Amino acid sequence: MSRKIIALILCSFLLSSFNIKVQAAGEEEHLQERMELFKKMEAATQIPWYYLAAVDQYERSLRFARKDLPKPENPISIYFPASEWAGPLNPNPDDQNPKTITFFEGIGADGNSDGIADRNNDEDVLAAFSHFILNYGIDKDNFRIALWNYYKRDKTVSMIMGKAKLYKTYGHLDLGGKAFPLPSRFNYSYKNTWGDARGYGGRRIHEGTDLFADYGVPVRSTSYGIVEMKGWNRFGGWRIGIRDINNTYHYFAHLSGFAKDIEVGQTVEPGMLIGGVGSSGYGPPGTSGKFPPHLHYGMYKDNGYTEWSFDPYPYLRVWERQDRQKKS
C-alpha cells in the first residue's frame, strides 16, 4: 500500500473521529441549554423542570417520527401550529402581539418580556405551555389532567409521566445510552429475521430479532426506560416491555423468568438485569420447551397516534460493537 493511500486513510479516520467528537460536544451543549431553559421556567412558575423536559422530549420524538410535523431546529421542541398559537379565529396566523393573541384565545405567550410572542422562540414556547399547565395546577395529579386535556390520549399521558419519572430519578437529560441485551462473556448467535413469515401460532410476520443463547443467560435492559409491562403472553411467554426516552418500546420475550424486584412502573438503565433467556410461550402460563432457548427482542415506535414494529437488527449490531469497545 502506498504512502499516499495510507495518508488518505489516516486523514479520513482522524476527520471521522473529529466529527464524532464535535457532534458529541454539540449534543452535550444542546442538553445543557435545554436544562437551563427548564430550570429558568421552573423558577418562574414552580412547575418541576422534569415535567417540562418530559413534554419537550415526547414532542421531539414525535417530530422525528412523523412527516406532518417539522423537524426540530431549536433546543426546545414543543410545537404549536400557527392557528393554535395565534388563535383559531385570528385573521393573522403569524400574529406575535400578545394582546391580540389573547383576544383571539391563542396559546402564544411572551416568555422573555420583549413584548413579542414568537412561536419560534424557546422561552416563549415554554411560557405558553407552562401557562396552560398552570390553569390546572403543578402537582402530579393536576399535571396528568392537564396533559390529558391537551393531548386527549391516555397512552401519551402515560409516556410523558414515565419520562418525567426518569428525569427526576437520574437528575439529568442525557438518557440516550444503550446496551446490548446479552452480556458479551456468554455465547450467543443471531441474524436478521425481522419481517420473516411465521406460521407457528398463526400466519404473521416476525416482529423482532431472535438471539439464541443457553437457558438462563442474563437478559439486560437495552436502554433507560420505564417498565410498561411484565407478565405472561400466550405467544411471548414470560415477557417484559420497556419504554425509553424516545417513545420507543423495547420488547423482551420467551424469558425463563424475571430479575428480582422488577416491577411495572420501575425505572431501568442500560445493562440492568431484567430476566434470563428461556423458551417460554405458545401455551398457557408456564408452557416452555417448544423451541430452543432464545431471546425475542423487538422494537416499536409510537408517533402519537399508533405504534409500529421496526427492524432492531441494525441497532443490535451497533450496541454489540459499542459494548465490546468499552471492554477493550
Side-chain angles (χ1 to χ4, degrees):
M1 186 180 294
S2 70
R3 292 182 180 179
K4 185 176 182 180
I5 294 177
I6 293 174
L8 288 172
I9 293 174
L10 180 60
C11 287
S12 177
F13 173 77
L14 291 174
L15 181 59
S16 176
S17 300
F18 174 75
N19 286 337
I20 290 172
K21 290 178 181 178
V22 169
Q23 289 172 6
E27 179 61 19
E28 185 176 334
E29 183 179 331
H30 225 42
L31 293 175
Q32 182 179 347
E33 186 176 355
R34 259 185 248 153
M35 180 62 92
E36 289 173 356
L37 288 165
F38 297 144
K39 289 284 190 177
K40 184 176 181 179
M41 192 55 60
E42 179 184 54
T45 64
Q46 303 305 304
I47 299 173
W49 70 267
Y50 44 84
Y51 283 168
L52 299 173
V55 173
D56 179 66
Q57 182 60 31
Y58 172 78
E59 296 224 359
R60 178 174 293 104
S61 298
L62 288 191
R63 293 175 69 173
F64 281 113
R66 283 166 46 180
K67 295 181 179 180
D68 62 325
L69 295 174
K71 297 296 180 284
E73 296 180 354
N74 296 342
I76 299 302
S77 295
I78 297 173
Y79 176 71
F80 295 105
S83 61
E84 185 179 347
W85 183 266
L89 299 179
N90 194 328
N92 178 14
D94 297 319
D95 194 357
Q96 295 185 337
N97 186 321
K99 292 182 179 179
T100 53
I101 287 175
T102 299
F103 178 80
F104 286 107
E105 299 183 347
I107 199 170
D110 173 17
N112 56 3
S113 301
D114 64 353
I116 297 173
D118 182 0
R119 70 188 184 103
N120 293 311
N121 178 278
D122 287 334
E123 291 185 79
D124 291 357
V125 167
L126 276 181
F129 196 85
S130 295
H131 291 169
F132 177 83
I133 297 299
L134 291 174
N135 289 325
Y136 297 86
I138 61 175
D139 60 282
K140 184 177 179 180
D141 289 340
N142 280 314
F143 181 65
R144 291 184 69 101
I145 293 171
L147 290 178
W148 194 91
N149 282 315
Y150 188 79
Y151 291 104
K152 301 291 192 298
R153 185 176 183 242
D154 289 336
K155 190 171 185 178
T156 293
V157 174
S158 176
M159 284 194 284
I160 291 175
M161 296 305 296
K163 295 181 201 308
K165 185 174 182 178
L166 280 168
Y167 286 135
K168 183 180 180 180
T169 298
Y170 292 100
H172 59 83
L173 299 177
D174 188 10
L175 300 180
K178 295 295 188 294
F180 192 70
L182 304 180
S184 59
R185 67 181 183 275
F186 292 92
N187 292 323
Y188 59 82
S189 64
Y190 68 104
K191 62 181 181 179
N192 193 353
T193 57
W194 185 84
D196 286 358
R198 285 290 185 268
Y200 201 66
R203 291 180 62 84
R204 54 203 171 88
I205 67 166
H206 190 231
E207 294 185 348
T209 295
D210 290 335
L211 297 95
F212 290 88
D214 290 336
Y215 196 89
V217 166
V219 173
R220 313 182 304 172
S221 174
T222 51
S223 66
Y224 289 96
I226 297 290
V227 178
E228 275 194 357
M229 176 271 297
K230 169 194 170 188
W232 180 268
N233 175 276
R234 185 164 65 93
F235 294 137
W238 300 117
R239 83 277 195 252
I240 286 180
I242 296 171
R243 180 79 58 180
D244 75 12
I245 207 72
N246 295 313
N247 300 354
T248 301
Y249 183 74
H250 302 251
Y251 180 68
F252 306 78
H254 305 315
L255 302 177
S256 59
F258 305 112
K260 185 179 179 181
D261 299 329
I262 286 287
E263 298 295 343
V264 172
Q266 176 184 340
T267 61
V268 295
E269 55 191 66
M272 181 176 173
L273 179 67
I274 60 173
V277 171
S279 59
S280 61
Y282 291 98
T287 303
S288 64
K290 291 190 174 183
F291 42 78
H294 68 277
L295 168 68
H296 169 93
Y297 176 71
M299 296 175 73
Y300 298 79
K301 177 64 73 175
D302 187 280
N303 67 0
Y305 295 123
T306 187
E307 192 168 67
W308 68 93
S309 167
F310 62 97
D311 187 0
Y313 180 79
Y315 298 89
L316 289 169
R317 293 299 300 269
V318 171
W319 302 338
E320 180 183 37
R321 184 167 61 251
Q322 289 174 342
D323 277 7
R324 289 178 175 174
Q325 287 173 346
K326 290 177 184 177
K327 299 184 187 313
S328 62

